[in-house]
Structures are given as C-alpha cells and as structure tokens.
Amino acid sequence: MYTCIIDGKLIKDREMLHGILADLPEFPDWYGRNLDALHDCLTDIQEEVWIHIQNEKDLTLHLGNYAAAFLNVLAASAEENRQIHYVVEPN
C-alpha cells in the first residue's frame, strides 16, 4: 500500500500538484502532468494507493476550479479502479 498526501497549504500551482502525483507507484516517466493523464495512470495502477487531501480550502484558493476538477478525477478513477482510494480531510 502507498499513501500520498496532498496538502493544499503547500500546493501553490498545478505543476506542484502533478509533481507530487508523478511519484505515485507505477506512474510512467512520461506521465503527462494533466488531469487526463492522471485519470489514465490512476486507472492502470495495480497497487493499493491512498490519496489524502488536506486543507481542501487552501487547495481551492491556490488552484481555483482546477482543484474541483482534480477531485472529480480522483472520484472517477476510484470508481473505475478499486485500488485507488482518496480521503478529503476537513480543514
């Protein structure tokens, strides 16, 4: 099992977000660092992965609508791949 923590207080832009996500197990070196590529990679993962979102309000403050789109991708990916789990922790 692998755990990834996305702290909205620390994520200042999309590049930082995708930089953290690029370290997920089984992500290829050529990961496209966008939401479509994220969905593709998450649905292919064979190892159990937990993604914890901390400080969602700050993530939204820094990323705007992209934060909501990111959470939608997590939800869709978790629905398609039982190995993907995510938790949005309250601020």
Side-chain angles (χ1 to χ4, degrees), residues 27-78:
F27 267 39
D29 291 337
W30 47 263
Y31 166 56
R33 296 176 184 252
N34 62 62
L35 295 178
D36 288 334
L38 177 63
H39 181 263
D40 291 344
C41 290
L42 287 175
T43 54
D44 285 343
I45 285 182
Q46 300 298 312
E47 181 180 337
E48 185 175 18
V49 172
W50 281 86
I51 300 172
H52 292 265
I53 310 298
Q54 299 174 341
N55 301 304
E56 178 190 10
K57 289 180 184 177
D58 291 303
L59 187 67
T60 300
L61 178 67
H62 296 144
L63 301 182
N65 292 335
Y66 197 82
F70 165 64
L71 293 175
N72 287 336
V73 167
L74 287 182
S77 299

